[in-house]
Amino acid sequence: MSKRQILLLSSSNVHGYSYLEYAAKDIKDFLNKNKVTDVVFIPYALKDYDGYLKKVKNVFTTWGFNMTGIHESKSPSDTVKSAQSVFVGGGNTFLLLKTLYDNKLIELIRERVILEGMPYMGTSAGTNVATKSIHTTNDMPIVYPPSFIALNLVPFNINPHYLDTDPNSKHKGETREERILQYLEEDGADTVLGLREGGTLLVDGNQIILKGLTKARLFVKGTSPQEIDVETDLSYLLKK
Amino acid sequence: MSKRQILLLSSSNVHGYSYLEYAAKDIKDFLNKNKVTDVVFIPYALKDYDGYLKKVKNVFTTWGFNMTGIHESKSPSDTVKSAQSVFVGGGNTFLLLKTLYDNKLIELIRERVILEGMPYMGTSAGTNVATKSIHTTNDMPIVYPPSFIALNLVPFNINPHYLDTDPNSKHKGETREERILQYLEEDGADTVLGLREGGTLLVDGNQIILKGLTKARLFVKGTSPQEIDVETDLSYLLKK
C-alpha cells in the first residue's frame, strides 16, 4: 500500500470563483484527513516569492491553516525534510522545475511523498512537476532546466488548463489536442490526462479519483481520446 | 555589409488563404531576387517527412521552383553545404531544434546563411529556430533538445502565431503577452517580436522590414510593448 497523498489542481483561477475557491472543500478535506496544520508554500514558478506567498497564505490562513514560504528559510532542503505538507503554486513550469533542480529538491520531495507520505498539493505548474515529466506543459520555455523529467509522483503526464478546440477560431496554431497527440508519437510517451480548469485529481495511496467541477479528457497512445466524468476512479493509471 | 538573406513567416496557414498563399508574392520575390531556382525543404518539425515534403513541394512547384527534401539524401550536412536555399517548415519547435542538433546542422546552416548568404526561409517553428533561441515558442516541449540556443540568424527572439488577449475569454491560463513579459524578466532576454499570423519579416543584409498582412507587436525589456506597422524598418533590431 503506497503512502502517497496528492491533490493536483488544474488551475488556481477558475471563471466565476475567487483564487483557489473552486477547490476549497477538496483542499480542506485533504489536509484535515491527513491531520495537516502547517503547509510549506513553494513559489518558485514566479519571480516575486514574497508577493506570491502573501496571496496564497491569505487564503490558507482564512481556512485555518498555517503557511510559511520555502524561501523564508536558509535551507530549502531542511524545510522540505521537516515539512508537514507542501503546496506548489502555478506560474512558469520551466522556471519551477529548474529552481527545484537548482535547489536539489527533486529527489527529496519525491522520497518524502512516496516513501513517507508527506501530503503534496500542486496547481497548474505545480501539477505539471508532480507528474512523470513536464513534456505536456503549456508554458513558454523561458529558462532551460537540466531535464524535463519531474517529480514522478504519478507515472503519467497531465496537461493542466486543458482547452477544447474552438470551432469558430480563426487562429491557425495547433490545437491543444493536436499538441498532445504529437507528444504521444514520441518514444516513452504513453498517457496524458487533460485537466480542464476546475478539474482536480485526488491520489490516495493506490487510488486516483477525478474531483472538481468538470470532465477531464484522457489521451492514451494508440487509442481514441475519451471523456472522464467527475468522481471516476482512475486508479489503473497508477499501474502504467 | 552582411550577406544575410532571410524571410521569416509567422505561419503557413492564415485564415482565408490556402497553404502559404498569403506570402506567395514575398516568397517568390525573395527567391527571384536571390536568383534561386532550387530549394531544400527541412521537414524536421513533423514526423511524416515524405508527406510534409509532398505538401510543400506541390506549392513551390506551382510557383516554378524545384524542391527536394533534406531527408532524401544520405548526408543532411552535404545537402546543406550544396543547397541554393533552405525552407524550414513549421510543426514542433523542440522536435525541429533537437533534430537539427542531432544532425549537426546548427553551425553549418548558420555559417552558410551569415557568411555565404544562402537564402533562408522559415515558417512558425522554422522561424523560431532562426532566432537567438527558442525561449519564446508556443509549442509543447515534447522532446528535450540539448540547448534552447538556436541558429541565431537574428539576435532577438520572435513569438510566431502571436495572439492578442481575448477580453471575453473565460480561460484563466496566462495570456501570450503575460508569457512574453515573464520571459523578459530573465537574464539574457531583451527583445521579442510578436509576429501575428499573416506577418512576415524580411531581412536583407543589414535591413529588416516587416511585411505581410498585419501589424506586429514588439516587446523590449524595460519599455512598454508597441505596435509595428507593415513596411516598418526594424533594422535597429540587428544591432541588439
Side-chain angles (χ1 to χ4, degrees), chain A residues 1-237:
Chain A
M1 178 68 188
S2 168
K3 292 188 171 177
R4 188 159 37 188
Q5 294 292 326
I6 303 167
L7 188 69
L8 302 177
L9 282 59
S10 174
S11 58
S12 307
N13 292 302
V14 174
H15 182 72
Y17 292 85
S18 64
Y19 187 75
L20 290 175
E21 184 192 15
Y22 97 88
K25 184 173 183 309
D26 286 333
I27 294 174
K28 286 187 273 188
D29 286 352
F30 177 79
L31 291 174
N32 289 329
K33 182 187 67 181
N34 286 294
K35 301 188 170 53
V36 169
T37 54
D38 294 32
V39 180
V40 171
F41 180 59
I42 300 181
Y44 294 156
L46 292 180
K47 287 282 201 185
D48 175 10
Y49 294 169
D50 286 334
Y52 199 3
L53 171 63
K54 189 175 171 187
K55 178 178 179 178
V56 179
K57 186 175 180 171
N58 183 46
V59 176
F60 276 78
T61 304
T62 306
W63 292 341
F65 301 99
N66 303 313
M67 179 167 270
T68 52
I70 193 169
H71 62 288
E72 295 180 303
S73 80
K74 282 193 180 161
S75 167
S77 56
D78 284 349
T79 303
V80 168
K81 279 176 196 162
S82 62
Q84 264 191 30
S85 72
V86 295
F87 180 82
V88 184
N92 185 281
T93 305
F94 295 87
L95 183 60
L96 170 58
L97 185 65
K98 182 176 187 300
T99 312
L100 289 173
Y101 273 109
D102 289 348
N103 287 311
K104 303 194 189 331
L105 295 177
I106 295 288
E107 275 308 304
L108 182 59
I109 293 175
R110 179 171 162 72
E111 284 176 16
R112 289 234 50 212
V113 175
I114 298 294
L115 301 180
E116 300 177 25
M118 175 183 73
Y120 178 104
M121 293 173 290
T123 179
S124 192
T127 288
N128 263 130
V129 299
T131 71
K132 182 184 167 186
S133 68
I134 65 162
H135 282 295
T136 55
T137 177
N138 311 305
D139 292 343
M140 200 170 262
I142 63 174
V143 296
Y144 184 70
S147 169
F148 286 165
I149 295 170
L151 292 167
N152 200 21
L153 306 182
V154 294
F156 52 87
N157 289 100
I158 290 178
N159 177 248
H161 301 274
Y162 181 78
L163 196 58
D164 294 291
T165 305
D166 175 1
N168 298 316
S169 174
K170 294 175 179 173
H171 192 70
K172 298 291 184 179
E174 290 88 347
T175 67
R176 189 67 57 81
E177 178 155 325
E178 285 169 351
R179 292 176 194 276
I180 291 171
L181 294 175
Q182 279 183 350
Y183 170 59
L184 287 177
E185 290 182 23
E186 294 301 320
D187 291 342
D190 183 80
T191 301
V192 181
L193 183 66
L195 269 188
R196 294 183 176 93
E197 292 185 348
T200 303
L201 205 64
L202 176 64
V203 186
D204 180 352
N206 290 323
Q207 188 180 58
I208 305 190
I209 305 284
L210 180 68
K211 308 290 281 186
L213 311 173
T214 68
K215 291 182 185 189
R217 192 160 176 82
L218 181 64
F219 301 82
V220 178
K221 185 177 267 194
T223 67
S224 298
Q226 52 176 307
E227 289 292 306
I228 305 294
D229 288 320
V230 176
E231 298 298 338
T232 297
D233 188 323
L234 292 167
S235 305
Y236 62 97
L237 295 180

Side-chain angles (χ1 to χ4, degrees), chain A residues 47 135 141 144-145 185 197, chain B residues 47 135 141 144-145 172 185 197:
Chain A
K47 287 282 201 185
H135 282 295
Y144 184 70
E185 290 182 23
E197 292 185 348
Chain B
K47 286 282 200 184
H135 282 294
Y144 184 70
K172 297 293 184 177
E185 290 181 23
E197 292 185 347

Side-chain angles (χ1 to χ4, degrees), chain B residues 12-145:
Chain B
S12 307
N13 292 302
V14 174
H15 182 72
Y17 292 85
S18 63
Y19 188 74
L20 288 176
E21 184 192 17
Y22 96 88
K25 183 173 185 308
D26 286 333
I27 294 173
K28 287 186 273 187
D29 286 353
F30 176 78
L31 291 174
N32 290 328
K33 181 187 69 181
N34 286 294
K35 301 188 171 53
V36 169
T37 54
D38 294 30
V39 180
V40 171
F41 179 59
I42 299 182
Y44 293 156
L46 292 179
K47 286 282 200 184
D48 176 10
Y49 294 170
D50 286 334
Y52 200 3
L53 171 63
K54 190 175 171 189
K55 178 178 180 178
V56 178
K57 186 175 180 171
N58 183 46
V59 176
F60 276 77
T61 304
T62 305
W63 292 341
F65 301 99
N66 304 313
M67 177 167 272
T68 52
I70 193 169
H71 61 289
E72 295 180 304
S73 80
K74 283 194 180 161
S75 167
S77 56
D78 283 349
T79 303
V80 168
K81 277 176 196 161
S82 63
Q84 263 191 31
S85 71
V86 295
F87 179 82
V88 184
N92 185 281
T93 305
F94 295 86
L95 183 60
L96 171 58
L97 185 65
K98 180 176 187 300
T99 312
L100 289 172
Y101 273 109
D102 289 348
N103 287 311
K104 303 196 188 329
L105 295 176
I106 296 288
E107 275 309 305
L108 182 59
I109 293 176
R110 178 170 162 75
E111 283 177 18
R112 288 234 51 213
V113 175
I114 298 294
L115 301 180
E116 299 176 26
M118 174 183 73
Y120 178 105
M121 294 173 289
T123 178
S124 193
T127 288
N128 263 130
V129 299
T131 71
K132 182 184 167 187
S133 68
I134 65 161
H135 282 294
T136 56
T137 176
N138 310 306
D139 292 343
M140 202 170 261
I142 62 174
V143 296
Y144 184 70

Side-chain angles (χ1 to χ4, degrees), chain B residues 164-170 175:
Chain B
D164 294 292
T165 305
D166 174 1
N168 298 318
S169 174
K170 293 175 179 174
T175 67

